[in-house]
Amino acid sequence: GRLIEGKFMGGTGPYTGVNGEYTFRWKRLVNNENGEISGRTDDLKGWVRLGAADAEPATIGDQQ
């Protein structure tokens, strides 16, 4: 369960002005002989603000 964190800012076209943050835990499920890795995410949380800087963020995952 490695913790992954990220932020995104801006965007183009319909995503102009989008900002947000996210976290999740990556769980590796399979690592085959070709070097391919399969996995899943657990405990995805975050928020996104669409467009206007004064808009309230929408949340993903647990809401507090």
Side-chain angles (χ1 to χ4, degrees):
R2 182 170 294 267
L3 180 64
I4 308 295
E5 300 176 293
K7 294 182 180 184
F8 50 94
M9 298 175 287
T12 60
Y15 304 105
T16 299
V18 172
N19 295 294
E21 297 179 0
Y22 60 89
T23 63
F24 62 87
R25 292 206 174 272
W26 172 254
K27 304 258 181 155
R28 186 182 328 189
L29 299 177
V30 176
N31 190 1
N32 68 23
E33 61 271 356
N34 295 330
E36 296 173 355
I37 298 173
S38 295
R40 71 173 201 211
T41 61
D42 282 338
D43 201 26
L44 174 63
K45 297 179 184 175
W47 61 267
V48 63
R49 183 173 290 130
L50 306 173
D54 60 350
E56 289 293 318
T59 58
I60 302 169
D62 292 342
Q63 296 183 6
Q64 297 179 2

